[in-house]
Amino acid sequence: MLIWSAAGILEKNKLANDKPFLVLFQITVPSIDEPIRLVRDNQECMWNGHLWQPFPVDFDDITEDGKEIPAAILRVSNIKGLIQGYVQRHNGFCDSPVKLIIVHAAHLDNPIPEMELDFVITQTKYDEEWVSFTIGASNDHSFRFPPWKYMTNFCPYRFKDIRCGYAGSAPECDGTLKTCRIRTRFGGEPGIKPM
C-alpha cells in the first residue's frame, strides 16, 4: 500500500491548487559521471540538492500480459538531438537504472518523495521527435543463482589469486586437479559423483 505524506494528502485533496505534483526522472548511466535529471514541467526545479532540468517527457501505462516482464514506454523529446547524442555515445543507455519520483512543487524542501519507482532500461529507440526507452523490472532470470557452480574437476579460482594461494614461479595451471599446484586448496568438488 502506498503511504503519502500528510502534506501530500492535503495538497491532493485541495479543491484548487496553483502548484502541481512534479514527475522527476533520474537516469543513471554508468559511463556518465552525473545522472541525467529531468522534470516534466516548463521550469527547472531544485529538489534534494539537485537541479532538475525541464524537458518534454511522456510516460505510458505499464503493460502486463502475463507472458513477458511488465514494461512501460518512457519518451523523452529529441529536441536538437540532445538525448539522442547521449544515447548513441553511451550504448543506448542499456541496463541503466531509472527512477521515477513524484514530489509536490509546494514542498520541494521535503527530501522524501511522495512516490519513488525503480526501473531498468531494457530497450532504446529514437526518431526525429522522441527517444523512447522501454523500461521495466530487471530480468533476474538472466543471472545465475547461486552465482557459483559445483564442478568435479574444475577449480573456479584464478591462478595465483588470494583464494588460489599459489605464489611460486611454475607455469599456469589449467584449473584441473591434475595440474593444481596446491592440491589442498583445490576449489573444485572431486567428491561429487557424476550422474
Side-chain angles (χ1 to χ4, degrees), residues 2 9 22 27 29 42 45 50 60 80 107 115-117 123 138 141 143 164 189:
L2 205 58
I9 292 170
L22 300 174
I27 304 171
V29 182
N42 58 2
C45 76
H50 300 292
D60 284 351
K80 298 181 183 177
H107 304 285
M115 184 187 308
E116 183 175 324
L117 301 171
Q123 186 179 25
S138 62
H141 299 292
F143 303 109
C164 172
E189 302 293 332

Side-chain angles (χ1 to χ4, degrees), residues 153-182:
N153 196 28
F154 180 77
C155 180
Y157 306 148
R158 260 189 245 148
F159 187 60
K160 292 188 178 182
D161 76 356
I162 195 161
R163 292 190 298 170
C164 172
Y166 181 73
S169 60
E172 190 167 329
C173 77
D174 63 2
T176 62
L177 182 60
K178 190 178 204 178
T179 61
C180 185
R181 306 292 184 242
I182 306 174

Side-chain angles (χ1 to χ4, degrees), residues 6 10-11 16 22 29 35 44-45 47 51 60 69 72 76 80 99 107 115 118-120 128 162 167 170 178 180:
L10 288 172
E11 294 294 343
L22 300 174
V29 182
E44 62 187 26
C45 76
W47 179 74
L51 184 65
D60 284 351
I69 295 173
V76 178
K80 298 181 183 177
K99 281 188 187 294
H107 304 285
M115 184 187 308
D118 293 316
F119 298 98
V120 173
E128 292 177 1
I162 195 161
K178 190 178 204 178
C180 185

Side-chain angles (χ1 to χ4, degrees), residues 69-84:
I69 295 173
I73 304 293
L74 169 65
R75 281 187 290 281
V76 178
S77 179
N78 200 6
I79 296 172
K80 298 181 183 177
L82 183 67
I83 299 294
Q84 178 182 336

